[in-house]
Amino acid sequence: MNKRLLLSLILVVVLAVPVFSVSAQDDEPFKVAVVMPSTVNDLAFSQSMYDSLLAVQEEMGGEEAFQFVYSENMFVIDDAATAIRDYASQGYNLVIAHGSQYGSSLQEIAPDFPDTAFAWGTTVDTFVDQGIDNIFAYEARAEEGGYVNGVIAAMLSESGTIGVVGPIETGDAKLYVDGFKAGVLSVNPDADVLVNYIQSFSDLSLAAAAAETMLDEGADVLTGTAQMVPGAIGKAQEAGALWFGTQADQTSLAPDVVVANQVYDWTVVLDEMIAKIQEGQMGGEAFAITLENGGELITFNEDYELPEDVLAAAEDAIDQIASGAITFSVDEEGMLNVEMGEPMMEGTAEATEAAS
Amino acid sequence: MLLDVNPIDAYKALYEGAFGTKNAFAETLVKATPLLLVGIGICISFRAGVINIGGEGQMVIGALMGTALALQIPDAPAEVIIPLSLVVGFIGGAVWGALAGALKAYFNVNEILSTVMLNQIAIYTMNYLLNNTLIDPAQAQLASRIPQTARLSRAADLPRLWMPTRLHLGVVIAVVLAILVYILLWRTTLGYRIRAVGKSPRASRYAGINVKRYVVLSLLLSGGFAGLAGITQVLGVSHRMITDGSASGFTGSAGFNGIVAALFGKLHPIGAIPASILFGALLVGANQLQRTTQVPSAFVTTLNGIVLLFVVGSEIWTRRRARRRVAVVSSEPTPPARQTAVEAEPAK
Amino acid sequence: MIGDLFTASVLIGIAGSGIRLATPYLYAALGETFGQRSGVFNLGVEGVMLMGAFSAYWATYESGNNLLIGILVALFVGVLMGLLTAFINVTLKAEQGISGIGIFMFGLGLSELLYQIAFKGERIPIKAFSRINIPLLSDIPVVGEIFFRQNLLVYVAFALVPVAWFVINRTTFGLKIRAVGQNPEAADAMGINVTRIRYATVTLGGMLAAVAGASLSIAQLNVFQQNMTAGQGFIAVALVYFGSWRPFGVMAGALLFSTVNALQLWVRTRGIDIPAEYASMAPYLLTILALVFASRRVDQPAALGKVFERGG
């Protein structure tokens, strides 16, 4: 056994040497470690955090002031726990668990490292009620951008049939889908919103087949969330159906049919957390990216000519959500409710008229 | 010069990550535990000539059933809740394995086919239960309901052996069971019959052995050990069940990797012990490598694949050496005939 | 509600999308059939598919969207992966279950690594194979819509089924494959080069698995993504057992599995009230049930998975 192991290692060295070169060393900057479920280039949830960390690094003055390391593809929940513990023991200032499935691991680990700040997303739970005071929570109010996308989608759909491809019904995927549905129905209460959670985050061909099914059913507008949506986007492009993106800007995947995207930008949340940590607060607070604080942006595809009235209605919806005229709440059954403040009702009514 | 990392650092990280510190070594053992439990089950089924690649699903079902039970009796003391959960976990996996066994023995459904399918069915069962029946009541009220159970009562935590590391009693259970399975396979009539069925179903039938029963039994036991691996992960490591929509998120692919460990260990339960530790070290060290050097995780996966291919490919030399030592015959376990069809007939 | 499901247009949609979904399974499983008939069990199909998917996508992109070059490069990579598999399984006589998992991990990791190196994380869709309406045939009501409005790789996959049957059952090469798979010692005694035959079938299997991957990345879809095969390679191996090592049986399995998959997607899209998880189980459950109720002969190649030691 030993000899074989040795042989293996020699082989690995030989194979790998040309791949490597020497890297530089560091000073004493603010150090962040992040553990994420997918890859840093997934054009979705994990990438949004990676891009935001790069932005924060630039903001704070490069590697001398801010450094970060990451463990990607940590879909094995237990491996993520090991990584979190390891980072904490290495003295990182902030350890981010970027996935709702990692929360229970943090709950176990954080009390052992009172001098390290942790962050968990996406959730509102900081475990402060359990006496743990060094976990920040952050979430994306995905239903907000979902609602805006839904408003636009309903106005552009001619058939009134709109398809949504989701992974499993949880986390920001559920929020996005629920918000999108609410947005569509606010414009067109008779719209037929076809939702399919395909029970997979990775199966592109299943996502594609789900999208085809919706297209065959007469859908002329599609949306979807999580890493497997490129499958569905391809089908939208092929059929000339419109696409609405979320988590990241997906315009490059289908330049002809993407109308708008909800883009996550975590820098606002990261900036706040870093400021708190530098003041000595290690956790116990929940943050969210929203349309109001600029953590969620609706980006429009410049090559898609959006009619004036639709753009106006979209901007109106964004304004109303940002100003608190439209609010979202969740009841005990996990159902999303939309409440309209009084003065702004007209805005939505206008949008409805414009649609018809 | 594709990746900006020092190779010496990389190998140091791989080794240090697996054995370098007390904690690293403990992590390696924690990782090895489910591999060994699945692996000893694999020893039984492969010895009976049955290829069980349903370890993932069996782990999931075992963990689900054990967890469901532990959630029902939150006030029970550790001496009750732990053994009971482990037994129920074993039963869960055993049922899932026996299902494939019965399909093979009585309906002639090949076990490779049925176990691959049953793995998927187990995943969807898990997703459904964690999203509905078993969901943490606290999560059920949130908009972003995370599909996970509540944390099990502290009494259900497997005792930790080597503070402050995570090493838990599971590793001892696994090693003891490996020894017991060795005794079962080589020191009992039952074990003899299991192996006889694997060597030649036809000869066994002439010898009066009920081949079908042993096919079911071997998959039942094999599944049971995988189920035990699943519930051990819950009681020893995660303390609740949680899903990201896939099996590997929970199992860490131990249902597959356990097969590799068993085959490395020459399908011998005792041999599976060092093999599991070796493979556990590789997995733990690889993650450490990613953390230390920031190589993409894909590089680590590729590396593991190469190491695996190299080790399995280099067996030819070990085998040649073994053949020169002519004396060893009976105890040298050559892999059994892969005669999977119970009613095998020579085809044209 | 259920009534909605069974209108003609819906059934046509389900059948059409079942055929499309079946395509990658069909390529991969036909390739695996050749390998297994000669006695080599390759569990690494998934890894080869991923390498095929990446290389086809990469070559198509680099060649200015030349799909033919994409396919050719995928075939070439399939040959390399097949030779690697054969070298480890046949020459080094490795335990085939483990080596398959090794090939899978190698392909999974390398395809993503190369993708990151080549595209630096950028995602660029290519222009994939478009649907070809076969003149006249595609105008036949129902049948035309289901069968004759697919992309080129779908047609080729189904055309390969009778070809594979013919090669295995009616050619000298096929006879040798079967002989090697049933009794390598006897075949060797008759002067058949067991090693050469197994290298040939495993390499062919590698090529077909690579095309299976390509049929995802440059036909069914238009992008590459890490682990995009999502377990299809393992299902393909299972379908070989479903089809009892016969090309037409393999095709039946792939079609059954995929059509039920298309059906369950439809049921859920239409909002028919069954939990999504239950619907997702359906293809897997039905595949098992189909075998329970279909009595069949079992004729697994006798030497499957066994190492051949010449003179040993």
Side-chain angles (χ1 to χ4, degrees):
Chain A
M1 193 70 82
N2 271 336
K3 199 168 177 185
R4 268 199 274 154
L5 181 66
L6 190 70
L7 280 170
S8 320
L9 287 177
I10 292 168
L11 175 93
V12 166
V13 174
V14 172
L15 278 171
V17 162
V19 180
F20 293 114
S21 70
V22 186
S23 65
Q25 258 314 310
D26 54 320
D27 289 323
E28 271 306 305
F30 192 90
K31 284 165 76 183
V32 175
V34 57
V35 175
M36 41 199 176
S38 174
T39 55
V40 295
N41 56 9
D42 68 351
L43 215 64
F45 188 66
S46 294
Q47 182 168 5
S48 69
M49 179 52 82
Y50 179 75
D51 289 348
S52 303
L53 285 165
L54 281 178
V56 170
Q57 186 175 53
E58 189 153 331
E59 209 172 85
M60 288 179 67
E63 286 204 14
E64 275 129 57
F66 181 92
Q67 284 187 352
F68 72 96
V69 293
Y70 60 86
S71 283
E72 62 178 355
N73 249 337
M74 288 283 112
F75 54 86
V76 179
I77 296 162
D78 181 39
D79 287 351
T82 310
I84 292 166
R85 189 174 280 277
D86 193 47
Y87 283 135
S89 64
Q90 287 176 29
Y92 282 89
N93 303 86
L94 171 64
V95 179
I96 303 173
H98 190 55
S100 51
Q101 66 271 38
Y102 304 146
S104 48
S105 311
L106 271 192
Q107 189 186 354
E108 309 275 328
I109 296 166
D112 293 348
F113 299 94
D115 297 331
T116 304
F118 295 87
W120 176 30
T122 59
T123 182
V124 288
D125 194 355
T126 65
F127 296 112
V128 80
D129 54 343
Q130 294 177 35
I132 301 172
D133 59 3
N134 57 337
I135 299 178
F136 290 109
Y138 62 90
E139 64 168 344
R141 299 299 300 268
E143 72 275 23
E144 296 191 355
Y147 186 89
V148 177
N149 274 357
V151 167
I152 311 171
M155 293 177 74
L156 293 177
S157 172
E158 284 167 17
S159 66
T161 303
I162 294 170
V164 187
V165 181
I168 62 174
E169 196 171 358
T170 176
D172 75 325
K174 179 176 185 301
L175 287 176
Y176 174 77
V177 173
D178 290 351
F180 182 85
K181 259 197 305 197
V184 169
L185 296 177
S186 76
V187 172
N188 178 5
D190 299 325
D192 195 3
V193 185
L194 310 170
V195 180
N196 196 341
Y197 286 101
I198 63 166
Q199 299 297 307
S200 168
F201 280 91
S202 57
D203 198 332
L204 274 79
S205 61
L206 204 58
E212 274 183 344
T213 307
M214 292 159 177
L215 293 165
D216 284 348
E217 284 287 286
D220 58 353
V221 177
L222 297 177
T223 188
T225 175
Q227 298 93 279
M228 76 299 164
V229 294
I233 298 175
K235 292 297 156 197
Q237 168 99 351
E238 192 180 287
L242 301 177
W243 177 266
F244 288 83
T246 185
Q247 294 183 328
D249 194 320
Q250 292 159 347
T251 307
S252 66
L253 284 172
D256 301 339
V257 298
V258 171
V259 179
N261 303 282
Q262 164 173 248
V263 179
Y264 291 174
D265 179 356
W266 300 102
T267 48
V268 274
V269 164
L270 290 169
D271 286 345
E272 281 186 79
M273 283 193 289
I274 292 167
K276 297 274 180 197
I277 295 165
Q278 283 169 337
E279 286 163 19
Q281 182 187 339
M282 307 307 273
E285 210 171 319
F287 302 98
I289 52 169
T290 62
L291 287 172
E292 193 217 335
N293 67 18
E296 288 174 1
L297 293 169
I298 304 293
T299 61
F300 294 96
N301 177 3
E302 283 169 14
D303 295 334
Y304 181 85
E305 279 188 36
L306 201 59
E308 289 288 322
D309 60 325
V310 181
L311 185 62
E315 282 171 350
D316 192 48
I318 295 172
D319 287 344
Q320 291 192 61
I321 294 169
S323 67
I326 297 178
T327 55
F328 300 92
S329 64
V330 176
D331 67 18
E332 279 162 15
E333 258 134 50
M335 295 287 289
L336 184 79
N337 293 319
V338 185
E339 281 136 49
M340 308 274 180
E342 299 88 51
M344 294 303 212
M345 281 300 280
E346 288 151 37
T348 322
E350 273 165 32
T352 317
E353 267 163 42
S356 50
Chain B
M1 304 302 152
L2 302 166
L3 302 162
D4 188 27
V5 188
N6 182 330
I8 309 297
D9 289 352
Y11 296 108
K12 219 173 102 195
L14 190 69
Y15 176 79
E16 295 270 318
F19 299 111
T21 63
K22 176 180 169 183
N23 193 58
F25 186 52
E27 286 294 328
T28 293
L29 293 180
V30 169
K31 197 78 178 170
T33 302
L35 298 182
L36 179 55
L37 283 168
V38 171
I40 56 183
I42 292 297
C43 291
I44 299 174
S45 62
F46 277 41
R47 287 276 168 196
V50 177
I51 304 179
N52 175 17
I53 49 181
E56 292 281 287
Q58 291 146 9
M59 275 183 82
V60 163
I61 297 294
L64 273 174
M65 283 184 57
T67 306
L69 174 94
L71 287 169
Q72 290 301 309
I73 47 168
D75 299 326
E79 304 81 65
V80 176
I81 196 168
I82 291 177
L84 217 52
S85 305
L86 291 177
V87 167
V88 171
F90 185 93
I91 293 172
V95 167
W96 215 242
L99 207 56
L103 284 167
K104 179 183 173 63
Y106 301 105
F107 297 98
N108 238 346
V109 178
N110 183 283
E111 76 280 12
I112 292 188
L113 176 84
S114 63
T115 48
V116 164
M117 301 288 157
L118 284 168
N119 281 347
Q120 291 296 323
I121 295 171
I123 293 171
Y124 298 126
T125 308
M126 166 175 75
N127 289 353
Y128 179 78
L129 290 176
L130 294 187
N131 245 324
N132 298 281
T133 328
L134 292 178
I135 194 169
D136 184 354
Q139 288 297 335
Q141 292 166 10
L142 295 176
S144 58
R145 31 191 298 151
I146 299 168
Q148 64 178 29
T149 67
R151 194 199 187 285
L152 301 183
S153 77
R154 300 268 164 193
D157 293 2
L158 285 178
R160 281 160 77 179
L161 302 177
W162 199 19
M163 299 301 269
T165 72
R166 297 197 299 172
L167 189 66
H168 56 82
L169 192 64
V171 69
V172 178
I173 297 174
V175 170
V176 169
L177 286 172
I179 296 167
L180 289 179
V181 169
Y182 162 71
I183 295 170
L184 171 86
L185 280 175
W186 275 278
R187 296 282 181 272
T188 67
T189 324
L190 182 72
Y192 169 77
R193 287 184 173 172
I194 287 177
R195 287 184 297 129
V197 168
K199 282 234 167 68
S200 168
R202 184 174 297 174
S204 305
R205 205 169 14 250
Y206 290 137
I209 298 174
N210 184 338
V211 172
K212 294 186 178 195
R213 190 184 298 163
Y214 281 89
V215 165
V216 179
L217 182 72
S218 67
L219 265 164
L220 180 144
L221 288 173
S222 188
F225 282 108
L228 195 60
I231 188 62
T232 306
Q233 281 301 93
V234 174
L235 301 187
V237 177
S238 63
H239 308 301
R240 71 170 88 213
M241 251 198 111
I242 188 163
T243 175
D244 68 337
S246 69
S248 52
F250 165 69
T251 63
S253 300
F256 275 122
N257 295 337
I259 303 176
V260 181
L263 290 166
F264 266 13
K266 300 268 171 204
L267 290 177
H268 195 294
I270 307 296
I273 298 173
S276 301
I277 294 173
L278 182 74
F279 211 66
L282 202 58
L283 295 171
V284 170
N287 281 332
Q288 177 69 38
L289 176 64
Q290 195 207 146
R291 285 199 290 282
T292 315
T293 61
Q294 291 288 284
V295 294
S297 61
F299 177 75
V300 173
T301 317
T302 317
L303 205 68
N304 281 349
I306 294 172
V307 171
L308 193 53
L309 287 175
F310 194 76
V311 174
V312 70
S314 66
E315 283 218 1
I316 188 168
W317 292 296
T318 359
R319 215 179 295 140
R320 280 196 186 140
R321 218 172 38 239
R323 219 183 307 151
R324 265 182 241 128
R325 286 182 277 128
V326 196
V328 194
V329 183
S330 61
S331 69
E332 185 69 26
T334 48
R338 285 299 146 63
Q339 193 61 46
T340 49
V342 178
E343 302 290 344
E345 283 160 21
K348 44 179 171 106
Chain C
M1 263 323 229
I2 289 283
D4 288 358
L5 198 63
F6 297 106
T7 62
S9 72
V10 168
L11 291 176
I12 289 169
I14 291 172
S17 112
I19 285 171
R20 268 189 300 286
L21 283 175
T23 303
Y25 294 110
L26 197 49
Y27 279 114
L30 283 177
E32 179 77 8
T33 304
F34 276 101
Q36 294 206 3
R37 284 305 279 264
S38 74
V40 182
F41 171 65
N42 176 19
L43 200 54
V45 179
E46 178 98 349
V48 185
M49 280 178 74
L50 282 163
M51 286 301 291
F54 166 74
S55 53
Y57 167 76
W58 171 77
T60 303
Y61 173 74
E62 288 294 332
S63 64
N65 216 80
N66 189 328
L67 292 164
L68 182 67
I69 291 183
I71 291 289
L72 289 175
V73 171
L75 282 169
F76 177 68
V77 168
V79 167
L80 293 182
M81 291 297 286
L83 287 173
L84 174 69
T85 311
F87 176 68
I88 290 164
N89 287 344
V90 181
T91 304
L92 296 183
K93 306 184 194 322
E95 178 64 47
Q96 293 170 10
I98 326 183
S99 66
I101 293 174
I103 295 274
F104 160 56
M105 285 164 71
F106 177 68
L108 172 69
L110 191 60
S111 59
E112 166 69 358
L113 193 63
L114 292 173
Y115 175 63
Q116 287 191 10
I117 291 166
F119 290 88
K120 305 270 180 295
E122 234 188 306
R123 261 160 223 267
I124 308 158
I126 51 111
K127 213 174 161 316
F129 278 100
S130 48
R131 294 194 191 184
I132 302 169
N133 292 349
I134 299 210
L136 299 177
L137 291 178
S138 63
D139 296 329
I140 305 169
V142 185
V143 176
E145 284 178 64
I146 295 173
F147 295 103
F148 300 109
R149 295 184 189 175
Q150 307 280 7
N151 69 57
L152 181 65
L153 291 189
V154 177
Y155 297 126
V156 174
F158 283 87
L160 276 178
V161 176
V163 173
W165 176 86
F166 184 82
V167 169
I168 290 173
N169 294 302
R170 293 284 181 274
T171 66
T172 329
F173 179 55
L175 183 71
K176 287 179 181 169
I177 293 175
R178 285 179 288 140
V180 166
Q182 284 302 336
N183 192 340
E185 289 78 16
D188 185 54
M190 287 179 342
I192 299 173
N193 187 331
V194 175
T195 305
R196 194 181 294 164
I197 292 291
R198 288 187 171 172
Y199 259 80
T201 56
V202 172
T203 306
L204 183 60
M207 290 164 75
L208 288 173
V211 177
S215 80
L216 284 172
S217 66
I218 64 171
Q220 210 180 95
L221 309 163
N222 60 357
V223 286
F224 175 79
Q225 184 157 306
Q226 183 220 29
N227 194 21
M228 71 189 290
T229 48
Q232 295 189 12
F234 291 97
I235 302 285
V237 173
L239 290 176
V240 174
Y241 287 82
F242 183 100
S244 305
W245 297 270
R246 296 192 198 92
F248 283 99
V250 166
M251 180 181 80
L255 278 175
L256 171 79
F257 181 82
S258 304
T259 309
V260 177
N261 218 343
L263 175 70
Q264 64 92 4
L265 284 171
W266 213 289
V267 165
R268 270 193 284 148
T269 297
R270 274 290 27 151
I272 290 168
D273 198 19
I274 52 168
E277 295 88 351
Y278 288 168
S280 292
M281 279 180 205
Y284 304 94
L285 216 52
L286 264 139
T287 306
I288 296 178
L289 287 180
L291 282 194
V292 168
F293 291 111
S295 65
R296 67 199 184 107
R297 243 179 44 222
V298 176
D299 53 356
Q300 172 165 349
L304 182 57
K306 285 186 209 158
V307 163
F308 170 63
E309 301 273 6
R310 196 164 183 195

